[in-house]
DNA sequence: ATTTATTATCGTAATATTGCAATATAAACA
DNA sequence: TGTTTATATTGCAATATTACGATAATAAAT
């Protein structure tokens, strides 16, 4: 196998999983952190920042983009990337939901 | 390969990635949601809730536990699982950090 | 038009993940 | 002790992910 049984889960569960999975790699965390640090958008700089070859970085950027976590726009012959609030808002809601529960259940666990 | 180059990233980046990766599967999202729904702890019920075989569920529980997202305590011959705030607080902080940035940069992206 | 710079894609090797049947382990109880 | 119940582990097949060299594609600059 190796194949996730997405059919048996709800769209919401699959979407949240896809978002979390996209974030679940140190290189992609580093990309997100860098995009926050430099405030405005960047592109080939990300390749210089990361300890990975250009095709690998390109692949990671693609995954983040597919998940709706970053967006890129052409700027001359380069591409400017920045965070996409669409994806982040979706997970943010999930974590707020979890957090609300954790507050209520403090020290009441089994 | 298939091997993530964890050595080249910071401990924080690797830890956040591990947490997000653990959440990044619909079955594990479903487990988290169920633990929230039933409020107090449960165990074999999770197996009944999920459309997966017992060994598969056991594996998913193990991953969540290793990541510090759930904790289990023995209750007779059964095991009672519930959410572990340790793991969740760590990612929560990350998303708050991201969110703060997104608020500032609204519509100022490239 | 050619070169240069920037990013994406293809192909491929190595490793990781997912899922399950079979089996093991451990605790309660008869 | 033997049996039931609950969970974990092992072993394995199928698929996914990660990473990179080589190469393509695109657009600016000369």
């Amino acid at each position: 196998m190796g194949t996730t049984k997405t059919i048996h889960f709800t769209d919401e569960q699959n979407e949240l999983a896809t978002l979390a999975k996209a974030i679940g790699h140190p290189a992609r965390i580093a990309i997100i952190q860098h995009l926050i640090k430099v405030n405005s958008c960047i592109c080939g700089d990300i390749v210089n920042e990361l300890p990975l070859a250009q095709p690998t970085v390109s692949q990671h950027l693609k995954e983040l983009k597919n998940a709706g976590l970053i967006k890129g726009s052409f700027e001359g012959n380069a591409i400017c990337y920045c965070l996409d609030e669409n994806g982040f808002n979706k997970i943010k809601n999930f974590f707020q939901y979890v957090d609300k529960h954790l507050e209520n259940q403090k020290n009441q666990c089994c």
Side-chain angles (χ1 to χ4, degrees), chain A:
Chain A
M1 322 223 147
T3 321
T4 298
K5 285 186 152 186
T6 51
I7 324 110
H8 302 301
F9 298 97
T10 68
D11 287 352
E12 191 202 15
Q13 287 165 342
N14 283 316
E15 188 173 31
L16 287 170
T18 301
L19 285 163
K21 196 174 175 184
I23 299 174
H25 190 290
R28 298 195 287 265
I29 293 277
I31 290 171
I32 293 166
Q33 287 176 333
H34 188 250
L35 284 175
I36 288 176
K37 193 171 128 202
V38 298
N39 218 344
S40 89
C41 310
I42 296 249
C43 121
D45 290 344
I46 297 172
V47 174
N48 293 326
E49 278 292 318
L50 297 195
L52 296 169
Q54 180 267 321
T56 308
V57 173
S58 189
Q59 206 171 269
H60 284 306
L61 289 171
K62 193 179 173 184
E63 281 180 65
L64 287 169
K65 200 172 161 193
N66 286 342
L69 292 162
I70 65 173
K71 50 188 174 182
S73 58
F74 287 87
E75 198 155 288
N77 62 340
I79 293 178
C80 179
Y81 281 108
C82 62
L83 295 191
D84 185 347
E85 50 192 347
N86 271 33
F88 282 104
N89 283 340
K90 281 174 189 162
I91 329 181
K92 195 183 80 178
N93 290 339
F94 175 69
F95 280 103
Q96 282 177 346
Y97 166 64
V98 173
D99 212 51
K100 208 175 293 172
H101 168 75
L102 285 171
E103 298 261 324
N104 290 343
Q105 290 313 105
K106 221 161 199 171
N107 303 321
Q108 290 183 43
C109 190
C110 43

mmCIF file of all heavy atoms in Angstrom, chain A residues 36-66:
data_model
loop_
_atom_site.group_PDB
_atom_site.id
_atom_site.type_symbol
_atom_site.label_atom_id
_atom_site.label_comp_id
_atom_site.label_asym_id
_atom_site.label_seq_id
_atom_site.Cartn_x
_atom_site.Cartn_y
_atom_site.Cartn_z
ATOM 1 N N ILE A 36 8.220 34.932 6.024
ATOM 2 C CA ILE A 36 7.770 35.840 7.078
ATOM 3 C C ILE A 36 8.870 36.847 7.403
ATOM 4 O O ILE A 36 8.618 38.038 7.548
ATOM 5 C CB ILE A 36 7.396 35.043 8.347
ATOM 6 C CG1 ILE A 36 6.093 34.288 8.110
ATOM 7 C CG2 ILE A 36 7.282 35.960 9.551
ATOM 8 C CD1 ILE A 36 5.663 33.397 9.247
ATOM 9 N N LYS A 37 10.101 36.350 7.475
ATOM 10 C CA LYS A 37 11.237 37.188 7.865
ATOM 11 C C LYS A 37 11.492 38.326 6.884
ATOM 12 O O LYS A 37 11.700 39.469 7.286
ATOM 13 C CB LYS A 37 12.477 36.298 7.978
ATOM 14 C CG LYS A 37 13.664 36.937 8.674
ATOM 15 C CD LYS A 37 14.746 35.891 8.924
ATOM 16 C CE LYS A 37 16.102 36.342 8.404
ATOM 17 N NZ LYS A 37 17.003 35.215 8.152
ATOM 18 N N VAL A 38 11.463 38.017 5.614
ATOM 19 C CA VAL A 38 11.787 39.043 4.627
ATOM 20 C C VAL A 38 10.564 39.893 4.295
ATOM 21 O O VAL A 38 10.639 40.762 3.445
ATOM 22 C CB VAL A 38 12.369 38.436 3.342
ATOM 23 C CG1 VAL A 38 13.662 37.716 3.639
ATOM 24 C CG2 VAL A 38 11.381 37.496 2.684
ATOM 25 N N ASN A 39 9.481 39.580 4.984
ATOM 26 C CA ASN A 39 8.295 40.404 4.935
ATOM 27 C C ASN A 39 7.644 40.450 3.544
ATOM 28 O O ASN A 39 6.603 39.851 3.354
ATOM 29 C CB ASN A 39 8.638 41.814 5.392
ATOM 30 C CG ASN A 39 7.514 42.397 6.219
ATOM 31 O OD1 ASN A 39 6.392 41.887 6.193
ATOM 32 N ND2 ASN A 39 7.794 43.446 6.961
ATOM 33 N N SER A 40 8.261 41.149 2.630
ATOM 34 C CA SER A 40 7.706 41.142 1.286
ATOM 35 C C SER A 40 8.194 39.889 0.566
ATOM 36 O O SER A 40 8.872 39.066 1.155
ATOM 37 C CB SER A 40 8.090 42.419 0.541
ATOM 38 O OG SER A 40 9.310 42.240 -0.132
ATOM 39 N N CYS A 41 7.888 39.779 -0.708
ATOM 40 C CA CYS A 41 8.074 38.506 -1.387
ATOM 41 C C CYS A 41 9.468 38.289 -1.954
ATOM 42 O O CYS A 41 10.232 39.219 -2.130
ATOM 43 C CB CYS A 41 7.046 38.366 -2.492
ATOM 44 S SG CYS A 41 5.394 38.709 -1.902
ATOM 45 N N ILE A 42 9.779 37.068 -2.237
ATOM 46 C CA ILE A 42 11.100 36.671 -2.692
ATOM 47 C C ILE A 42 10.946 35.455 -3.610
ATOM 48 O O ILE A 42 9.882 34.935 -3.762
ATOM 49 C CB ILE A 42 11.993 36.292 -1.486
ATOM 50 C CG1 ILE A 42 12.222 37.488 -0.580
ATOM 51 C CG2 ILE A 42 13.272 35.663 -1.938
ATOM 52 C CD1 ILE A 42 13.603 38.014 -0.572
ATOM 53 N N CYS A 43 12.032 35.001 -4.149
ATOM 54 C CA CYS A 43 11.912 33.845 -5.052
ATOM 55 C C CYS A 43 13.190 33.021 -5.107
ATOM 56 O O CYS A 43 13.350 32.087 -4.343
ATOM 57 C CB CYS A 43 11.478 34.352 -6.423
ATOM 58 S SG CYS A 43 12.575 33.982 -7.751
ATOM 59 N N GLY A 44 14.156 33.383 -5.948
ATOM 60 C CA GLY A 44 15.390 32.598 -6.041
ATOM 61 C C GLY A 44 16.200 32.692 -4.768
ATOM 62 O O GLY A 44 17.070 31.861 -4.519
ATOM 63 N N ASP A 45 15.919 33.707 -3.971
ATOM 64 C CA ASP A 45 16.588 33.828 -2.678
ATOM 65 C C ASP A 45 16.323 32.607 -1.813
ATOM 66 O O ASP A 45 17.181 32.188 -1.032
ATOM 67 C CB ASP A 45 16.067 35.068 -1.944
ATOM 68 C CG ASP A 45 16.542 36.343 -2.603
ATOM 69 O OD1 ASP A 45 17.496 36.269 -3.415
ATOM 70 O OD2 ASP A 45 15.974 37.406 -2.329
ATOM 71 N N ILE A 46 15.145 32.053 -1.956
ATOM 72 C CA ILE A 46 14.786 30.879 -1.163
ATOM 73 C C ILE A 46 15.745 29.737 -1.460
ATOM 74 O O ILE A 46 16.164 29.012 -0.564
ATOM 75 C CB ILE A 46 13.328 30.463 -1.432
ATOM 76 C CG1 ILE A 46 12.379 31.575 -0.994
ATOM 77 C CG2 ILE A 46 12.987 29.168 -0.724
ATOM 78 C CD1 ILE A 46 10.937 31.363 -1.392
ATOM 79 N N VAL A 47 16.111 29.614 -2.716
ATOM 80 C CA VAL A 47 17.068 28.575 -3.103
ATOM 81 C C VAL A 47 18.397 28.799 -2.381
ATOM 82 O O VAL A 47 19.013 27.850 -1.889
ATOM 83 C CB VAL A 47 17.282 28.550 -4.626
ATOM 84 C CG1 VAL A 47 18.382 27.564 -5.001
ATOM 85 C CG2 VAL A 47 15.987 28.189 -5.338
ATOM 86 N N ASN A 48 18.821 30.054 -2.293
ATOM 87 C CA ASN A 48 20.080 30.355 -1.609
ATOM 88 C C ASN A 48 19.993 30.120 -0.099
ATOM 89 O O ASN A 48 20.975 29.762 0.532
ATOM 90 C CB ASN A 48 20.480 31.813 -1.870
ATOM 91 C CG ASN A 48 20.820 32.034 -3.328
ATOM 92 O OD1 ASN A 48 21.363 31.147 -3.999
ATOM 93 N ND2 ASN A 48 20.487 33.206 -3.834
ATOM 94 N N GLU A 49 18.831 30.353 0.436
ATOM 95 C CA GLU A 49 18.633 30.194 1.875
ATOM 96 C C GLU A 49 18.673 28.733 2.310
ATOM 97 O O GLU A 49 19.106 28.404 3.400
ATOM 98 C CB GLU A 49 17.269 30.778 2.281
ATOM 99 C CG GLU A 49 17.266 32.287 2.466
ATOM 100 C CD GLU A 49 18.081 32.719 3.676
ATOM 101 O OE1 GLU A 49 17.987 32.057 4.712
ATOM 102 O OE2 GLU A 49 18.815 33.719 3.560
ATOM 103 N N LEU A 50 18.167 27.864 1.452
ATOM 104 C CA LEU A 50 18.027 26.461 1.849
ATOM 105 C C LEU A 50 19.226 25.620 1.445
ATOM 106 O O LEU A 50 19.875 25.887 0.441
ATOM 107 C CB LEU A 50 16.765 25.868 1.216
ATOM 108 C CG LEU A 50 15.425 26.462 1.628
ATOM 109 C CD1 LEU A 50 14.301 25.547 1.201
ATOM 110 C CD2 LEU A 50 15.349 26.695 3.120
ATOM 111 N N PRO A 51 19.524 24.586 2.216
ATOM 112 C CA PRO A 51 20.639 23.686 1.936
ATOM 113 C C PRO A 51 20.236 22.584 0.960
ATOM 114 O O PRO A 51 20.573 21.431 1.147
ATOM 115 C CB PRO A 51 20.951 23.107 3.314
ATOM 116 C CG PRO A 51 19.627 23.053 3.977
ATOM 117 C CD PRO A 51 18.839 24.219 3.476
ATOM 118 N N LEU A 52 19.485 22.965 -0.059
ATOM 119 C CA LEU A 52 18.980 21.971 -1.005
ATOM 120 C C LEU A 52 19.174 22.474 -2.427
ATOM 121 O O LEU A 52 19.257 23.674 -2.658
ATOM 122 C CB LEU A 52 17.487 21.737 -0.753
ATOM 123 C CG LEU A 52 17.079 21.129 0.590
ATOM 124 C CD1 LEU A 52 15.576 21.204 0.786
ATOM 125 C CD2 LEU A 52 17.567 19.696 0.723
ATOM 126 N N ALA A 53 19.231 21.551 -3.340
ATOM 127 C CA ALA A 53 19.418 21.911 -4.741
ATOM 128 C C ALA A 53 18.173 22.602 -5.283
ATOM 129 O O ALA A 53 17.074 22.436 -4.760
ATOM 130 C CB ALA A 53 19.731 20.664 -5.549
ATOM 131 N N GLN A 54 18.378 23.336 -6.356
ATOM 132 C CA GLN A 54 17.283 24.127 -6.928
ATOM 133 C C GLN A 54 16.068 23.292 -7.318
ATOM 134 O O GLN A 54 14.936 23.691 -6.998
ATOM 135 C CB GLN A 54 17.827 24.920 -8.128
ATOM 136 C CG GLN A 54 16.814 25.784 -8.828
ATOM 137 C CD GLN A 54 16.153 25.051 -9.997
ATOM 138 O OE1 GLN A 54 16.813 24.307 -10.713
ATOM 139 N NE2 GLN A 54 14.864 25.249 -10.176
ATOM 140 N N PRO A 55 16.220 22.153 -7.947
ATOM 141 C CA PRO A 55 15.016 21.377 -8.288
ATOM 142 C C PRO A 55 14.238 20.920 -7.051
ATOM 143 O O PRO A 55 13.009 20.854 -7.083
ATOM 144 C CB PRO A 55 15.565 20.174 -9.049
ATOM 145 C CG PRO A 55 16.874 20.616 -9.570
ATOM 146 C CD PRO A 55 17.419 21.527 -8.531
ATOM 147 N N THR A 56 14.978 20.621 -6.002
ATOM 148 C CA THR A 56 14.326 20.177 -4.769
ATOM 149 C C THR A 56 13.502 21.308 -4.161
ATOM 150 O O THR A 56 12.358 21.111 -3.735
ATOM 151 C CB THR A 56 15.379 19.696 -3.758
ATOM 152 O OG1 THR A 56 16.216 18.744 -4.402
ATOM 153 C CG2 THR A 56 14.728 19.052 -2.565
ATOM 154 N N VAL A 57 14.095 22.498 -4.149
ATOM 155 C CA VAL A 57 13.382 23.655 -3.619
ATOM 156 C C VAL A 57 12.145 23.933 -4.464
ATOM 157 O O VAL A 57 11.052 24.188 -3.944
ATOM 158 C CB VAL A 57 14.294 24.894 -3.585
ATOM 159 C CG1 VAL A 57 13.510 26.131 -3.209
ATOM 160 C CG2 VAL A 57 15.449 24.674 -2.624
ATOM 161 N N SER A 58 12.320 23.853 -5.762
ATOM 162 C CA SER A 58 11.208 24.099 -6.677
ATOM 163 C C SER A 58 10.050 23.154 -6.380
ATOM 164 O O SER A 58 8.874 23.543 -6.419
ATOM 165 C CB SER A 58 11.689 23.912 -8.107
ATOM 166 O OG SER A 58 10.723 24.323 -9.036
ATOM 167 N N GLN A 59 10.395 21.917 -6.073
ATOM 168 C CA GLN A 59 9.391 20.908 -5.762
ATOM 169 C C GLN A 59 8.659 21.264 -4.459
ATOM 170 O O GLN A 59 7.429 21.150 -4.389
ATOM 171 C CB GLN A 59 10.101 19.577 -5.603
ATOM 172 C CG GLN A 59 9.271 18.358 -5.876
ATOM 173 C CD GLN A 59 10.152 17.113 -5.890
ATOM 174 O OE1 GLN A 59 10.656 16.701 -6.935
ATOM 175 N NE2 GLN A 59 10.365 16.533 -4.735
ATOM 176 N N HIS A 60 9.412 21.680 -3.467
ATOM 177 C CA HIS A 60 8.803 22.056 -2.189
ATOM 178 C C HIS A 60 7.878 23.259 -2.359
ATOM 179 O O HIS A 60 6.785 23.305 -1.783
ATOM 180 C CB HIS A 60 9.882 22.366 -1.159
ATOM 181 C CG HIS A 60 10.554 21.146 -0.598
ATOM 182 N ND1 HIS A 60 9.849 20.118 -0.024
ATOM 183 C CD2 HIS A 60 11.860 20.787 -0.517
ATOM 184 C CE1 HIS A 60 10.700 19.177 0.385
ATOM 185 N NE2 HIS A 60 11.916 19.557 0.089
ATOM 186 N N LEU A 61 8.325 24.215 -3.168
ATOM 187 C CA LEU A 61 7.488 25.392 -3.414
ATOM 188 C C LEU A 61 6.184 24.992 -4.091
ATOM 189 O O LEU A 61 5.112 25.502 -3.778
ATOM 190 C CB LEU A 61 8.246 26.403 -4.291
ATOM 191 C CG LEU A 61 9.403 27.138 -3.615
ATOM 192 C CD1 LEU A 61 10.203 27.928 -4.636
ATOM 193 C CD2 LEU A 61 8.887 28.068 -2.520
ATOM 194 N N LYS A 62 6.293 24.055 -4.996
ATOM 195 C CA LYS A 62 5.109 23.581 -5.704
ATOM 196 C C LYS A 62 4.096 22.960 -4.745
ATOM 197 O O LYS A 62 2.892 23.202 -4.853
ATOM 198 C CB LYS A 62 5.551 22.534 -6.736
ATOM 199 C CG LYS A 62 4.503 22.163 -7.760
ATOM 200 C CD LYS A 62 5.103 21.137 -8.705
ATOM 201 C CE LYS A 62 4.089 20.556 -9.671
ATOM 202 N NZ LYS A 62 4.708 19.500 -10.498
ATOM 203 N N GLU A 63 4.602 22.188 -3.802
ATOM 204 C CA GLU A 63 3.710 21.543 -2.846
ATOM 205 C C GLU A 63 3.014 22.560 -1.949
ATOM 206 O O GLU A 63 1.823 22.434 -1.647
ATOM 207 C CB GLU A 63 4.491 20.544 -1.983
ATOM 208 C CG GLU A 63 4.733 19.240 -2.708
ATOM 209 C CD GLU A 63 5.497 18.251 -1.846
ATOM 210 O OE1 GLU A 63 4.949 17.825 -0.822
ATOM 211 O OE2 GLU A 63 6.648 17.924 -2.194
ATOM 212 N N LEU A 64 3.782 23.549 -1.519
ATOM 213 C CA LEU A 64 3.185 24.591 -0.683
ATOM 214 C C LEU A 64 2.134 25.370 -1.472
ATOM 215 O O LEU A 64 1.089 25.751 -0.941
ATOM 216 C CB LEU A 64 4.274 25.546 -0.174
ATOM 217 C CG LEU A 64 5.187 24.996 0.915
ATOM 218 C CD1 LEU A 64 6.373 25.918 1.152
ATOM 219 C CD2 LEU A 64 4.412 24.822 2.222
ATOM 220 N N LYS A 65 2.427 25.581 -2.744
ATOM 221 C CA LYS A 65 1.506 26.321 -3.604
ATOM 222 C C LYS A 65 0.231 25.505 -3.837
ATOM 223 O O LYS A 65 -0.877 26.021 -3.736
ATOM 224 C CB LYS A 65 2.187 26.625 -4.934
ATOM 225 C CG LYS A 65 1.564 27.767 -5.706
ATOM 226 C CD LYS A 65 2.440 28.092 -6.909
ATOM 227 C CE LYS A 65 1.709 28.873 -7.974
ATOM 228 N NZ LYS A 65 2.489 28.892 -9.240
ATOM 229 N N ASN A 66 0.393 24.237 -4.121
ATOM 230 C CA ASN A 66 -0.762 23.363 -4.342
ATOM 231 C C ASN A 66 -1.672 23.301 -3.115
ATOM 232 O O ASN A 66 -2.891 23.192 -3.244
ATOM 233 C CB ASN A 66 -0.311 21.948 -4.700
ATOM 234 C CG ASN A 66 0.225 21.844 -6.104
ATOM 235 O OD1 ASN A 66 -0.029 22.718 -6.940
ATOM 236 N ND2 ASN A 66 0.988 20.808 -6.383
#
